[in-house]
Amino acid sequence: EPSPSGNLQVTRLVPGGPAQMQGGINVGDMLTMVDGVDVRGMDLSKVAPLIRGSIGTQVTLAVMRLGSNETTPVMLTRQPTAKITGPSFMEMPINEHGYGSNNSMKLDEAFPKQTLDKLRQLRVTLEQERIAVAKEREQSTKLQATLEGQIEKLEGRCKQLLTALETVDGPQGGTVRPCGHQFQVAWCALCNR
């Protein structure tokens, strides 16, 4: 597939194809030359015929690895079937002369099954994430309820302490509020009128 720079980049290796079976080409490699022809910036439809050839013959590709500025030569032996990968995932069989015919194009039969498998995996992952989020919400709700209970207990204890202080110390010449507190208390509705 074309990369953002306009060069052809390997996005997947065709199972059973020459690149996968013979090695030397990796996903992410940038194709720079085919049998000495500079293919940088060329469209896949122009590069594919350069790669195709008679079955059993060799083709020399030059690729640039990810993170490298140097090209690496890779020799592959042509096989009976060449796959042209791209957004349409099309497959083009090669005849005995090493050329494909336009009327022989068909959809890659593995694509729908692979897509369904990936969608099923995604559905399982999404369900697992939904369950995890629900558990986190439940834990958050429990934690909030626990904190509110602790705050109520602390407020109750504070009320008890203030009442005990007022009982022990007495009014000490100060005025007692209508609610019975000597000082204004933030939580008391009568003190804050």
Side-chain angles (χ1 to χ4, degrees):
E1 288 187 19
S3 69
S5 65
N7 296 324
L8 293 177
Q9 186 171 22
V10 179
T11 57
R12 72 178 179 114
L13 298 178
V14 176
Q20 192 238 354
M21 297 300 287
Q22 298 172 33
I25 295 190
N26 303 313
V27 172
D29 287 352
M30 196 78 61
L31 185 61
T32 59
M33 298 186 92
V34 177
D35 283 336
V37 177
D38 189 343
V39 296
R40 288 178 282 207
M42 288 177 66
D43 188 71
L44 178 62
S45 64
K46 293 186 185 289
V47 176
L50 298 174
I51 296 173
R52 287 190 211 112
S54 298
I55 296 167
T57 61
Q58 291 190 335
V59 60
T60 303
L61 307 176
V63 295
M64 194 176 303
R65 307 270 186 227
L66 279 175
S68 173
N69 291 330
E70 296 181 21
T71 58
T72 303
V74 178
M75 287 187 74
L76 298 175
T77 301
R78 293 178 174 108
Q79 293 183 355
T81 301
K83 288 191 177 188
I84 308 299
T85 60
S88 61
F89 296 91
M90 300 297 279
E91 180 181 279
M92 182 179 288
I94 303 298
N95 62 23
E96 64 274 7
H97 301 293
Y99 299 100
S101 60
N102 289 338
N103 60 2
S104 66
M105 293 183 97
K106 64 179 181 175
L107 284 174
D108 184 352
E109 293 170 9
F111 176 70
K113 182 182 180 326
Q114 292 169 350
T115 302
L116 285 175
D117 290 344
K118 290 284 185 191
L119 288 172
R120 285 184 185 115
Q121 289 173 350
L122 284 172
R123 183 173 43 186
V124 168
T125 301
L126 286 173
E127 183 62 20
Q128 290 170 343
E129 289 179 9
R130 187 192 64 75
I131 291 169
V133 167
K135 285 180 181 178
E136 287 177 16
R137 281 188 186 146
E138 182 181 336
Q139 289 174 348
S140 175
T141 302
K142 287 179 182 178
L143 181 61
Q144 184 177 357
T146 301
L147 288 174
E148 288 173 357
Q150 293 295 328
I151 289 170
E152 286 178 23
K153 285 180 184 178
L154 285 173
E155 287 176 346
R157 287 183 182 155
C158 286
K159 289 178 188 178
Q160 290 172 349
L161 286 171
L162 284 173
T163 304
L165 270 173
E166 290 174 358
T167 304
V168 171
D169 290 343
Q172 295 181 3
T175 59
V176 177
R177 297 184 174 273
C179 59
H181 296 118
Q182 183 177 356
F183 305 99
Q184 182 174 358
V185 179
W187 47 263
C188 180
L190 294 173
C191 284
N192 291 307
R193 277 192 192 174

